[in-house]
Amino acid sequence: MSSRRLLKAAEAIREVVANAIVTEVRDPRVRDVTVIGVEVSPDMREAKVKVSVMGDEAQKNLSLRGLQNSAGFLQSKIANRMDTRYTPKLRFEVDKGQENAMTVGQILARIRQEKEGAIDDRDQNDSGEDATPHSND
Protein backbone atom coordinates (compact mmCIF):
# COMPACT_ATOMS: atom_id res chain seq x y z
CA MET A 1 0.00 0.00 0.00
CA SER A 2 1.35 3.46 -0.86
CA SER A 3 2.55 5.69 1.91
CA ARG A 4 0.02 8.34 0.88
CA ARG A 5 -2.83 5.88 1.41
CA LEU A 6 -1.36 4.80 4.75
CA LEU A 7 -1.19 8.42 5.88
CA LYS A 8 -4.80 9.01 4.83
CA ALA A 9 -5.89 5.84 6.63
CA ALA A 10 -3.95 6.84 9.75
CA GLU A 11 -5.57 10.28 9.76
CA ALA A 12 -9.05 8.77 9.30
CA ILE A 13 -8.42 6.36 12.19
CA ARG A 14 -7.14 9.21 14.37
CA GLU A 15 -10.28 11.24 13.64
CA VAL A 16 -12.69 8.38 14.34
CA VAL A 17 -10.94 7.31 17.55
CA ALA A 18 -10.60 10.87 18.88
CA ASN A 19 -14.26 11.68 18.22
CA ALA A 20 -15.48 8.38 19.66
CA ILE A 21 -13.40 8.80 22.84
CA VAL A 22 -14.87 12.25 23.44
CA THR A 23 -18.48 11.53 22.52
CA GLU A 24 -19.21 7.80 22.78
CA VAL A 25 -16.83 5.94 25.10
CA ARG A 26 -18.59 5.72 28.46
CA ASP A 27 -15.78 4.04 30.39
CA PRO A 28 -15.06 6.22 33.47
CA ARG A 29 -11.39 5.20 33.34
CA VAL A 30 -10.99 6.95 30.00
CA ARG A 31 -10.76 10.64 30.79
CA ASP A 32 -8.42 13.50 29.94
CA VAL A 33 -7.21 11.55 26.89
CA THR A 34 -6.00 13.24 23.71
CA VAL A 35 -5.20 11.27 20.56
CA ILE A 36 -1.84 12.54 19.29
CA GLY A 37 -1.36 10.36 16.24
CA VAL A 38 -1.74 6.96 14.62
CA GLU A 39 0.82 4.71 12.95
CA VAL A 40 -0.61 2.06 10.63
CA SER A 41 1.30 -1.07 9.65
CA PRO A 42 1.91 -1.47 5.88
CA ASP A 43 -0.57 -4.37 5.66
CA MET A 44 -3.26 -2.32 7.50
CA ARG A 45 -3.76 -5.07 10.09
CA GLU A 46 -2.49 -3.09 13.08
CA ALA A 47 -2.63 0.52 14.17
CA LYS A 48 -0.68 2.03 17.04
CA VAL A 49 -2.70 4.88 18.55
CA LYS A 50 -0.54 7.36 20.45
CA VAL A 51 -2.38 9.18 23.22
CA SER A 52 -1.57 11.79 25.81
CA VAL A 53 -3.17 11.38 29.24
CA MET A 54 -3.25 14.16 31.82
CA GLY A 55 -2.58 12.95 35.33
CA ASP A 56 -0.17 10.80 37.26
CA GLU A 57 1.19 7.41 36.26
CA ALA A 58 -1.73 5.56 37.88
CA GLN A 59 -4.25 7.61 35.86
CA LYS A 60 -2.29 6.92 32.66
CA ASN A 61 -2.29 3.17 33.28
CA LEU A 62 -5.98 3.23 34.16
CA SER A 63 -6.85 5.15 30.98
CA LEU A 64 -4.75 2.80 28.85
CA ARG A 65 -6.59 -0.21 30.28
CA GLY A 66 -9.92 1.47 29.62
CA LEU A 67 -8.90 2.29 26.04
CA GLN A 68 -7.72 -1.25 25.43
CA ASN A 69 -11.05 -2.58 26.72
CA SER A 70 -12.84 -0.17 24.35
CA ALA A 71 -10.71 -1.24 21.37
CA GLY A 72 -13.39 -3.54 19.89
CA PHE A 73 -15.99 -0.78 20.01
CA LEU A 74 -13.54 1.68 18.43
CA GLN A 75 -12.60 -0.85 15.73
CA SER A 76 -16.27 -1.20 14.80
CA LYS A 77 -16.48 2.58 14.44
CA ILE A 78 -13.44 2.49 12.16
CA ALA A 79 -14.95 -0.35 10.10
CA ASN A 80 -18.11 1.75 9.56
CA ARG A 81 -16.05 4.72 8.38
CA MET A 82 -13.38 3.03 6.24
CA ASP A 83 -13.91 0.65 3.36
CA THR A 84 -10.86 -1.60 3.63
CA ARG A 85 -10.24 -5.30 3.49
CA TYR A 86 -9.04 -5.39 7.10
CA THR A 87 -10.01 -3.32 10.07
CA PRO A 88 -6.78 -2.62 11.93
CA LYS A 89 -6.35 -4.04 15.42
CA LEU A 90 -5.84 -1.08 17.75
CA ARG A 91 -2.97 -0.87 20.21
CA PHE A 92 -2.76 2.12 22.54
CA GLU A 93 0.46 3.71 23.72
CA VAL A 94 1.16 6.80 25.83
CA ASP A 95 3.07 9.42 23.85
CA LYS A 96 5.78 10.90 26.06
CA GLY A 97 6.39 13.83 23.68
CA GLN A 98 4.26 16.31 25.62
CA GLU A 99 5.84 15.31 28.94
CA ASN A 100 9.32 15.58 27.49
CA ALA A 101 8.55 19.01 26.02
CA MET A 102 7.31 20.26 29.40
CA THR A 103 10.41 18.91 31.16
CA VAL A 104 12.73 20.56 28.62
CA GLY A 105 10.80 23.82 29.02
CA GLN A 106 11.24 23.71 32.79
CA ILE A 107 14.97 23.02 32.46
CA LEU A 108 15.40 25.90 29.99
CA ALA A 109 13.47 28.25 32.28
CA ARG A 110 15.70 27.27 35.21
CA ILE A 111 18.84 27.86 33.10
CA ARG A 112 17.49 31.25 31.98
CA GLN A 113 16.84 32.25 35.62
CA GLU A 114 20.33 31.17 36.64
CA LYS A 115 21.88 33.14 33.77
CA GLU A 116 19.86 36.25 34.62
CA GLY A 117 20.94 35.90 38.25
CA ALA A 118 24.58 35.64 37.19
CA ILE A 119 24.22 38.67 34.90
CA ASP A 120 22.58 40.69 37.71
CA ASP A 121 25.48 39.78 40.02
CA ARG A 122 28.01 40.93 37.39
CA ASP A 123 26.10 44.17 36.79
CA GLN A 124 26.19 45.00 40.49
CA ASN A 125 29.94 44.35 40.59
CA ASP A 126 30.56 46.48 37.49
CA SER A 127 28.50 49.43 38.75
CA GLY A 128 31.27 50.65 41.00
CA GLU A 129 30.48 48.49 43.97
CA ASP A 130 33.50 46.34 44.57
CA ALA A 131 32.83 42.85 45.71
CA THR A 132 36.21 42.76 47.50
CA PRO A 133 37.11 45.81 49.55
CA HIS A 134 40.62 47.20 49.04
CA SER A 135 42.55 48.26 52.10
CA ASN A 136 45.52 50.55 51.95
CA ASP A 137 47.40 49.72 55.13
Side-chain angles (χ1 to χ4, degrees), residues 87-107:
T87 301
K89 182 175 188 275
L90 300 178
R91 200 174 77 235
F92 293 92
E93 180 177 288
V94 173
D95 184 44
K96 301 283 186 186
Q98 298 292 343
E99 273 181 47
N100 294 343
M102 287 174 42
T103 303
V104 168
Q106 290 170 349
I107 291 170

Side-chain angles (χ1 to χ4, degrees), residues 133-137:
H134 295 289
S135 63
N136 294 339
D137 290 294

